Amino acid sequence: MDIADLDEQLAKKNLQGFWAMERSFGGGLKPKPFLWKWEDIQEALDLASEHVPMDKTGRRAIVLRNPTVEQGITDTLNVSIQLVKPGEVAKAHRHVASAIRFIIQGAPQACTIVEGERFPMEEGDLVTTPNWTWHDHHNGSDKPAIWLDGLDARLVRFLHVGFSEPYNHERQVVEKPDGRMDKLLGYARPSWMKSDTLTPPFRYRWTDVFPTLSALKESEGDPFDGVRLQYIDPTNGGPTLLTFSCEIQLLRPHEKLRPHRHTSSVVYQAFRGRGLTRVEEETLSWERKDVFTIPPWNWHSHENPSDEDAILFSITDWPALKALGFYREEARS
Ligand code: GTQ
Ligand code: FE2
């Protein structure tokens, strides 16, 4: 019997010789870097705003579709840009996938209600809706509310753990006072309370984050990521969420950072200014609000060739990779 005959016989019994397996790492599609220009996203939002009613899906979101991954933007993360018109409600639900909102255009009257508490959404704020927390979005302002949604939905789907549930009303009752979570997670904490969520929902105000970033402007910073902050889980000082981390970095005028690579994927949105990110053979040239992605184990480096500060917001799956023992990084010597 030759090996081809054996392979055929094994296949009939749903068996396969190890010698016949696809041996390349990962196989299939190889994720590539990709950049979306804000003007294309804005145009899509304008069209969706005109033609897609909120009751169509309950979320008016434009998904950033990286053609080199099976779905979504990386093999673990999903990113969309969501728009809620004045007076609209994106109805309440919850799911295993954790989500974050990084606000592109907001107002004090726009908010996400998470677990019965209002979290206002103003430009530059980050609001989390962690694993299995109820959430609905409202826009009580007179301009569209627009934000970047980041979710670990790709990872969740791969593992077939995508439980989700609609709420029994369009909106949650606001049963907690504004700013409750801020107070509970301050420097002095109630000794008797136990959290009823895996990770607390939280609003990281831009007006708190920006002063920290500015105060560190003269410091050396990280050789690869410059002056970078991580949004921490206030209950344990760990990453923003169990599966992914949110980060923000400032690139000073004419700053050129060193190249490195890591097994985690990153999705960036330019929040202020412009710059260049070299990824393997490509140069991604980004301006305000553009979104781009760096795949695992791709050499990359950032540069701000302009005379103004540049600020990059990012989400990255290193917490999931570290938890599983899959995280590695390497600096170019
Ligand atoms: O706003 O709850 O972009 O559940 C994808 C899934 C947004 C949301 C998305 C979601 C949401
Ligand atoms: Fe959701």
Side-chain angles (χ1 to χ4, degrees):
M1 182 183 264
D2 65 19
I3 290 183
D5 293 334
L6 174 55
D7 286 348
E8 207 176 303
Q9 185 173 325
L10 291 177
K12 283 183 199 144
K13 302 282 163 66
N14 299 313
L15 298 168
Q16 187 183 39
F18 188 67
W19 55 87
M21 277 168 57
E22 170 80 60
R23 211 56 64 81
S24 72
F25 274 103
L29 291 167
K30 186 170 159 47
K32 291 269 198 245
F34 220 82
L35 179 138
W36 290 261
K37 295 303 291 178
W38 179 256
E39 59 186 40
D40 292 337
I41 298 171
Q42 181 72 62
E43 188 183 313
L45 286 173
D46 290 344
L47 289 168
S49 190
E50 190 183 345
H51 300 290
V52 184
M54 189 55 104
D55 57 17
K56 176 91 180 150
T57 58
R59 294 293 184 271
R60 188 185 297 104
I62 302 293
V63 179
L64 303 193
R65 185 66 195 83
N66 182 339
T68 63
V69 300
E70 215 168 285
Q71 269 190 38
I73 195 157
T74 75
D75 281 324
T76 50
L77 304 170
N78 251 90
V79 166
S80 4
I81 309 294
Q82 183 167 169
L83 185 148
V84 179
K85 292 193 223 178
E88 280 185 333
V89 179
K91 61 184 185 238
H93 67 190
R94 64 177 174 182
H95 35 72
V96 162
S98 293
I100 61 92
R101 330 281 161 196
F102 183 66
I103 316 307
I104 299 164
Q105 179 170 297
Q109 305 83 4
C111 74
T112 293
I113 300 173
V114 196
E115 295 287 308
E117 179 176 339
R118 280 182 88 250
F119 292 88
M121 300 165 108
E122 297 186 65
E123 188 182 325
D125 287 353
L126 173 72
V127 179
T128 61
T129 63
N131 187 329
W132 210 241
T133 54
W134 294 112
H135 54 281
D136 43 302
H137 315 305
H138 301 262
N139 183 1
S141 82
D142 56 8
K143 283 188 308 192
I146 301 171
W147 59 80
L148 177 141
D149 287 315
L151 296 95
D152 54 11
R154 293 287 302 126
L155 182 61
V156 165
R157 184 186 286 240
F158 177 73
L159 298 171
H160 300 284
V161 291
F163 302 94
S164 68
E165 198 178 6
Y167 195 64
N168 53 13
H169 295 286
E170 186 180 62
R171 57 176 79 207
Q172 293 173 74
V173 177
V174 179
E175 59 189 12
K176 294 171 182 165
D178 287 359
R180 177 178 181 269
M181 199 52 94
D182 257 352
K183 291 195 182 68
L184 291 184
L185 297 175
Y187 292 115
R189 301 185 184 184
S191 59
W192 70 94
M193 272 191 205
K194 290 257 186 301
S195 169
D196 34 42
T197 57
L198 226 42
T199 307
F202 205 69
R203 173 190 182 199
Y204 304 80
R205 285 181 178 76
W206 181 242
T207 52
D208 289 334
V209 173
F210 184 58
T212 307
L213 210 49
S214 301
L216 294 168
K217 231 181 115 165
E218 305 307 324
S219 61
E220 198 181 341
D222 179 276
F224 312 104
D225 288 291
V227 178
R228 180 178 63 175
L229 306 178
Q230 297 179 338
Y231 295 86
I232 57 158
D233 173 341
T235 62
N236 59 18
T240 330
L241 297 161
L242 294 172
T243 46
F244 67 97
S245 168
C246 300
E247 313 193 338
I248 192 132
Q249 66 201 67
L250 186 145
L251 306 181
R252 295 159 281 210
H254 307 288
E255 181 162 27
K256 195 172 173 176
L257 293 160
R258 288 182 54 197
H260 73 160
R261 62 179 176 176
H262 37 66
T263 50
S264 47
S265 305
V266 192
V267 179
Y268 283 101
Q269 182 174 40
F271 182 58
R272 295 283 186 258
R274 60 194 170 83
L276 302 172
T277 297
R278 294 188 178 79
V279 193
E280 296 285 334
E281 266 75 65
E282 291 184 49
T283 299
L284 306 175
S285 175
W286 41 265
E287 303 169 292
R288 214 172 150 219
K289 303 188 200 176
D290 291 349
V291 180
F292 60 97
T293 169
I294 297 174
W297 215 236
N298 275 214
W299 289 108
H300 61 279
S301 61
H302 306 291
E303 182 181 347
N304 175 5
S306 79
D307 297 330
E308 314 281 327
D309 286 344
I311 298 179
L312 289 172
F313 170 79
S314 59
I315 64 173
T316 164
D317 60 6
W318 65 255
L321 296 192
K322 282 192 179 171
L324 297 171
F326 297 157
Y327 186 78
R328 281 180 181 230
E329 61 189 327
E330 196 171 80
R332 184 115 85 198
S333 52

